């Protein structure tokens, strides 16, 4: 069964705007999928609906088998979300930051898991550094570490390279490739096709509130 199943999802905002118009998409366990589309296509709305932050107008979404409307807490516990903006307590250490975030999910302390996450992001030797001592790239890695602290099966990266320079963009590509080894399913949004090609196994093209096409990255790139 797919880890995420989205069926005929619609979202009409209170002002009457139809941001999603019957989008359907199945995401397989362990894959990396890029949601590609221009600004305003509905990518953030789609992520918000899956993560339980945007109310659904109609349709169904399940995450790890849990319906996001019927079992929102269970569905949410399967998900790690890395928002576009950095949101970090800059005077905290890396270690305290990830421990605190794990605690928010009511999980027992498991320093072994957090160590594994920090090591996979090359943050282990920075664990006692305060956030404000880190470079921009390292801060982004801390955001990912936070999102992985409660052992989610799915990781969302919303425009992971928006507004960053070329070096940081390549760094993020590297991070995503490395995370693949951990088996976590990754869903990222982007409006750069090169970025989707670089990181993703499959690409879902989104425009005007619909998933227009979902294709294996290599096959899609052949058609250009
Ligand atoms: P929901 O139906 O999920 O409760 P709302 O329609 O109430 O969502 O809108 C959520 C918030 O987004 C509101 O505070 C609203 O002011 C804000 N908002 C309104 N229009 C836009 C827009 N075009 N882009 C981003 N945010 C908007
Ligand atoms: P993307 O992430 O692909 O740029 P979004 O999901 O942010 O697209 O937005 C899709 C459309 O929905 C845009 O036209 C946006 O202005 C509109 N929109 C987003 N949030 C709201 C809101 N809260 N209220 C009304 N319209 C919104």
């Amino acid at each position: 069964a797919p880890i995420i199943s989205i069926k005929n999802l619609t979202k009409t905002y209170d002002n009457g705007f139809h941001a999603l118009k019957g989008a359907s998409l199945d995401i397989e366990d362990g894959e990396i999928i890029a949601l590609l589309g221009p600004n305003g296509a509905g990518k953030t709305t789609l992520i918000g609906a899956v993560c339980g932050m945007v109310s659904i107008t109609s349709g169904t979404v399940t995450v790890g088998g849990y319906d996001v409307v019927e079992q929102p807490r269970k569905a949410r516990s399967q998900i790690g979300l890395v928002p576009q903006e950095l949101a970090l307590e800059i005077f905290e250490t890396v270690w305290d930051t990830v421990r605190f975030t794990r605690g928010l999910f009511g999980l027992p302390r498991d320093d072994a898991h957090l160590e594994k996450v920090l090591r996979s992001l090359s943050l282990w030797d920075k664990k006692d550094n305060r956030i404000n001592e880190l470079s921009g790239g390292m801060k982004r890695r801390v955001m990912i570490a936070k999102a992985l602290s409660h052992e989610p099966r799915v990781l969302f990266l919303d425009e992971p390279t928006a507004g960053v320079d070329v070096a940081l963009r390549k760094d993020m590509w590297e991070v995503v490739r490395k995370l693949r080894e951990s088996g976590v399913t990754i869903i990222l949004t982007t409006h750069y096709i090169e970025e989707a090609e670089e990181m993703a196994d499959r690409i879902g093209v989104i425009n005007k509130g619909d998933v227009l096409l979902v294709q294996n990255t290599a096959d899609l790139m052949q058609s250009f």
Side-chain angles (χ1 to χ4, degrees), residues 52-217:
M53 298 179 311
V54 168
S55 63
I56 289 171
T57 304
S58 70
T60 57
V61 179
T62 62
V63 183
Y66 298 113
D67 186 287
V68 300
V69 176
E70 306 290 332
Q71 295 158 292
R73 286 173 62 93
K74 286 209 163 101
R76 184 66 182 82
S77 72
Q78 312 278 308
I79 297 171
L81 173 64
V82 183
Q84 277 181 43
E85 285 83 33
L86 292 177
L88 297 165
E89 298 291 337
I90 61 170
F91 296 116
E92 296 288 340
T93 65
V94 171
W95 186 239
D96 288 343
T97 298
V98 292
R99 287 241 294 211
F100 177 77
T101 308
R102 186 177 167 87
L104 290 180
F105 280 84
L107 291 169
R109 265 199 202 170
D110 181 353
D111 293 350
H113 169 72
L114 294 177
E115 175 175 346
K116 200 174 73 186
V117 167
L118 292 182
R119 284 190 187 282
S120 74
L121 293 162
S122 304
L123 279 171
W124 182 242
D125 63 343
K126 304 244 183 325
K127 71 179 167 42
D128 298 319
N129 283 78
R130 291 178 201 284
I131 304 293
N132 61 348
E133 297 166 343
L134 302 177
S135 67
M138 285 294 159
K139 285 185 184 129
R140 288 198 170 244
R141 287 174 186 237
V142 175
M143 291 290 292
I144 295 173
K146 271 177 71 172
L148 292 172
S149 65
H150 62 287
E151 300 170 65
R153 295 173 67 193
V154 177
L155 182 68
F156 281 97
L157 303 170
D158 195 6
E159 305 258 359
T161 62
V164 308
D165 64 24
V166 178
L168 270 190
R169 177 167 299 168
K170 297 221 160 123
D171 186 65
M172 185 55 61
W173 294 353
E174 190 61 42
V175 166
V176 169
R177 278 192 214 102
K178 191 132 185 253
L179 287 177
R180 176 198 296 275
E181 294 161 23
S182 71
V184 68
T185 303
I186 299 178
I187 298 129
L188 60 100
T189 63
T190 182
H191 45 261
Y192 299 114
I193 191 159
E194 317 80 56
E195 179 155 300
E197 183 187 11
E198 203 57 51
M199 290 192 274
D201 304 316
R202 285 199 304 158
I203 295 177
V205 179
I206 300 196
N207 198 24
K208 297 189 176 157
D210 251 320
V211 180
L212 299 183
L213 169 77
V214 186
Q215 214 170 23
N216 178 285
T217 301

Side-chain angles (χ1 to χ4, degrees), residues 215-224:
Q215 214 170 23
N216 178 285
T217 301
D219 295 344
L220 183 64
M221 295 316 292
Q222 282 247 308
S223 59
F224 277 87

